[in-house]
Amino acid sequence: MFFYKKNWLKGYITIEIRGQYPEHFFDMCARYGIPSWDVSKKNTTAAIGKIKLSDLSKLRRIKKRSIYKVYFKERTGLPFLIDSLGSQKPLIIGCMIAFAIIFILSNIVWRIDVSGLDEEIENKVLLQMEEYGLEKGSFQWNIDSPAILQKKLLEDIPELLWVGVKKNGSAFHLEGVEKTTVEKPEEAEVGHLIAAKEGVIVDLFVSKGQPLVRPNDVVYKDDILVSAYLEQQEEEDEGNKAKPLAAEGEVIAKVWYKSEVSIPLTNNYHVLNGQAETKHYLHFSSFLIPFWNFMNPDYTNYQMETEEKNFYFLKWKLPISYIKQTIYQSEVMEKKMEKQEAKTLALEQAKRELLRQLPLDAEITEEKVLHERVESGKVKLTLYYTVLENIAKKQPISQGD
Amino acid sequence: MKKMRETLKTVFTNTFDLPSEVTLELPRITMIGSIHAYIENHQGLIVFSETELLLKIHQGNVRINGEGFVLKMMIDKDILLEGTIKDVKFEDE
């Protein structure tokens, strides 16, 4: 019956009324709006019945006005059940310990699988992981996120071409692809060597092919420097078309570069001055609850770093996470430079930029400042460089026709 | 004066075909065989015991006799009686 179920959830009390005509007490209850049920008379001076727990205060008021004595016999229902559970401390402590153990165990790494790798590299990967603090039995909250691990692994183990780190509950799955460093014999392609840039030839080292230029020749872009055909004249005399070969060699030439740099005379730097505040938060769905270090540092310039750790219960991610926030104080430094200082800096910068474009064996022989001016707080330089570099570039000859 | 009002009420009820228990403050007693009696619109409980239930109603009392009586429910003006009902008597004041 619905009536009973509802009352069980809210709790009800069995009361015993003693006095002359105890049924009148229940009649009074009914009139003051206290429903009662299962009322029966034990003898002429005692009756028992049931009332709702929520009507208890009203009952007290009626009791005061009447001559009857009220005894509480039984308490039934959910509120009392909870109360009685609450008073059983060992049970509650046991439950809490059980939950705590499950919680701790859920946050431990139980397994690390590595697939797709040789045993040797697999061991290397596992050792590397141990260095990051990830091994069987370590706590998950000390470990970086899989994406970061992935990146670190790729950086630290050069044999790996690709590695995928996947976190699956309390297990880590690693999938790797090895670099197969097979030395491919470079197929010498048949072709001329042509000039990649304009310049003046300084030196020639030709190992294969017929050089067509001499030192101090001026060559333009795409001029043939070393031909693939040997001694063209003679071969043509014989009537045989010469077989072209792969021209090889180095052609060192003087090449000129013009570059422009501008350097501001005043520079602003953001510098961390070592002052930092670390704040700890509990992140609960959309709430951020600070639980350590409530102070808000009054830094005018700062940099912020946040780190988030998740917690797991069995395989579920708990809605609670821990956030560590570090606020570093930074200072703005203004640096003013003299014109001369700025100029040397500009020269260095221009040289660096040029070297980045050039092959490793190139050599800057001469550097000239063509033009120099100060304009709206900046030093502008136009520079001219003479560089010795290999300008030979392969141009394949298609042999089909 | 009181009599006149009663007569007026009866006439009013009959003319407009209203349920009599509403206007005349009469009790409505619903019985299921002899095991349940549902009494609505009574005016107070006078005596209740294992074998007897005496209720005050408009212009008199109603007395229910039987065995093993239990009041299954008691709300303001309604009573649900459970037990073996032997007889229901209406008594004048």
Side-chain angles (χ1 to χ4, degrees), chain A residues 1 3-4 21 23-24 26-28 30-42 47, chain B residues 42-50 55 69-80 82:
Chain A
M1 245 169 130
F3 188 65
Y4 293 100
Y21 294 107
E23 60 267 34
H24 285 179
F26 287 105
D27 188 44
M28 253 161 77
R31 247 178 275 169
Y32 283 101
I34 305 175
S36 52
W37 67 96
D38 283 354
V39 179
S40 64
K41 210 166 169 184
K42 282 163 85 185
Chain B
H42 69 88
Q43 284 168 349
L45 184 142
I46 302 164
V47 177
F48 167 69
S49 70
E50 286 255 284
L55 292 170
F69 280 178
V70 171
L71 297 179
K72 265 294 166 200
M73 200 172 85
M74 258 185 95
I75 322 172
D76 191 20
K77 281 179 172 171
D78 305 352
I79 279 181
L80 176 63
E82 202 185 72

Side-chain angles (χ1 to χ4, degrees), chain A residues 230-249:
Chain A
L230 288 171
E231 289 150 23
Q232 282 170 331
Q233 316 297 328
E234 287 174 35
E235 303 249 346
E236 261 169 2
D237 286 345
E238 281 174 26
N240 280 334
K241 183 92 175 148
K243 241 188 166 179
L245 44 83
E248 255 177 61

Side-chain angles (χ1 to χ4, degrees), chain A residues 21-61:
Chain A
Y21 294 107
E23 60 267 34
H24 285 179
F25 186 82
F26 287 105
D27 188 44
M28 253 161 77
C29 285
R31 247 178 275 169
Y32 283 101
I34 305 175
S36 52
W37 67 96
D38 283 354
V39 179
S40 64
K41 210 166 169 184
K42 282 163 85 185
N43 51 51
T44 49
T45 57
I48 55 167
K50 287 166 183 163
I51 61 154
K52 283 196 248 168
L53 176 65
S54 51
D55 289 332
L56 197 64
S57 55
K58 277 195 231 165
L59 183 92
R60 290 229 166 88
R61 253 179 281 149

